[in-house]
Amino acid sequence: EKKKKELSLPKPQQVISLSPNHPLYDEINEVTSAHMRRLLTSSQEEEDILWTCITDQGDLKVFTRKLEENGIVIDPLKAVATVRGITGHEVCYYFWEFENRLEWEATLESTRIVEWLSDDTFINNNVIKRVWPASQRDACFWSHIRHITANSDEGPDSWIVVNYSTDHSNCPANKYVRITMNVAMICQTIIEPPANGGEISRDNITVKITYTADVNPGGWAPASALRTVYKREYPRFLRRFTQYVIDKTKDKPILF
Ligand code: 18C
């Protein structure tokens, strides 16, 4: 059953603008495709067995799986949200576009570009706010945005942003505890055209967002404190971020 599903999957379009000669080219394509495969092949049954729902606000659900490695909490996290009035392209664009990130990411102290690799990919350095008594953390990751066209009639197009840890000589891990992450935001836009055949407005569009975060907090951090912070901060981030996108786009033409 699973095999059949995999065979009929639409093939992600390789539209990355990074040169194939770049050392990160293969990794970026592989990690991005793996996120799409994971989303498209997961069955409801598997989901129910694997994940525990920690927040259910109807239009926003957050799930985790309890996982520890040598006493360090690395619980994978997944959130699913449905938001009216914005498109997947808009959500992914504002998630990827780093300049106004401090406006919606409350747990971030600072962020800077380490290097632009191409017009859809850059290396980023985030410094996360300190939570007493744990040491302060930072992250160095490539951030890549991509439009994936469904080449079958089975589903809508997708937009995806992946933030994936990497090393960079201009971003040494010497000042803070370095966290590592594999984060993806995948969006699909659902359009319900108006019955009267009129023009599509923001009332006719809904975005389905799937956000996943595999984060290793680096050095030790108290497990129960970390889980408490995650349970509070991830839903808060998704609410605040999607509201930010609604505010940013409400007077702009729809970016399909
Ligand atoms: O995906 C998000 N942002 C991206 C763009 O910046 C990027 C970052 C993702 C990783 C964030 C995870 C950080 C975990 C750090 C662990 C720190 C240990 C601290 C010890 C605590 C006891 O992909 C959106 C990310 C939204 C993150 C929400 C949860 C983050 C928890 C961070 C803890 C620090 C909180 C500071 C509390 C300040 C409250 C105002």
Side-chain angles (χ1 to χ4, degrees), residues 90 207 223:
E90 290 167 334
V207 64

Side-chain angles (χ1 to χ4, degrees), residues 113-133:
I113 293 277
V114 177
E115 187 188 346
W116 274 100
L117 303 185
S118 55
D119 59 7
D120 54 17
T121 312
F122 59 86
I123 309 248
N124 200 189
N125 180 207
N126 270 354
V127 179
I128 298 146
K129 282 184 182 164
R130 181 168 180 230
V131 186
W132 188 89

Side-chain angles (χ1 to χ4, degrees), residues 1-10 37 41:
E1 159 64 45
K2 192 155 181 234
K3 261 229 144 73
K4 255 197 232 151
K5 233 173 162 187
E6 264 165 35
L7 287 174
S8 64
L9 284 181
R37 265 199 313 275
T41 55

Side-chain angles (χ1 to χ4, degrees), residues 95 101 104-108 124 126 128-131 134-135 137 141 163 179 181 183 211 215 217 221-222 225-226 229-230 232-234 236-237:
F95 183 63
R101 199 178 277 159
W104 53 263
E105 194 162 344
T107 53
L108 206 57
N124 200 189
N126 270 354
I128 298 146
K129 282 184 182 164
R130 181 168 180 230
V131 186
S135 333
R137 263 70 175 174
F141 56 98
N163 291 340
I179 68 161
M181 61 160 115
V183 170
Y211 171 88
V215 175
L226 198 55
V229 173
Y230 284 172
R232 186 187 65 213
E233 295 301 330
Y234 278 105
R236 194 178 270 181
F237 140 63

Side-chain angles (χ1 to χ4, degrees), residues 170-187:
N170 290 338
C171 191
N174 52 13
K175 207 170 162 199
Y176 307 102
V177 173
R178 178 63 49 95
I179 68 161
T180 54
M181 61 160 115
N182 181 2
V183 170
M185 174 87 81
I186 308 180
C187 294

Side-chain angles (χ1 to χ4, degrees), residues 140-210:
C140 180
F141 56 98
W142 51 256
S143 186
H144 173 63
I145 186 167
R146 186 182 299 197
H147 179 204
I148 292 164
T149 315
N151 60 3
S152 73
D153 296 331
E154 281 172 36
D157 286 4
S158 300
W159 278 88
I160 178 168
V161 174
V162 182
N163 291 340
Y164 190 87
S165 281
T166 194
D167 295 320
H168 194 286
S169 53
N170 290 338
C171 191
N174 52 13
K175 207 170 162 199
Y176 307 102
V177 173
R178 178 63 49 95
I179 68 161
T180 54
M181 61 160 115
N182 181 2
V183 170
M185 174 87 81
I186 308 180
C187 294
Q188 281 145 353
T189 310
I190 298 138
I191 304 171
E192 290 171 84
N196 60 9
E199 212 179 304
I200 293 165
S201 78
R202 291 200 174 271
D203 292 337
N204 307 119
I205 56 176
T206 305
V207 64
K208 184 177 177 241
I209 303 173
T210 307

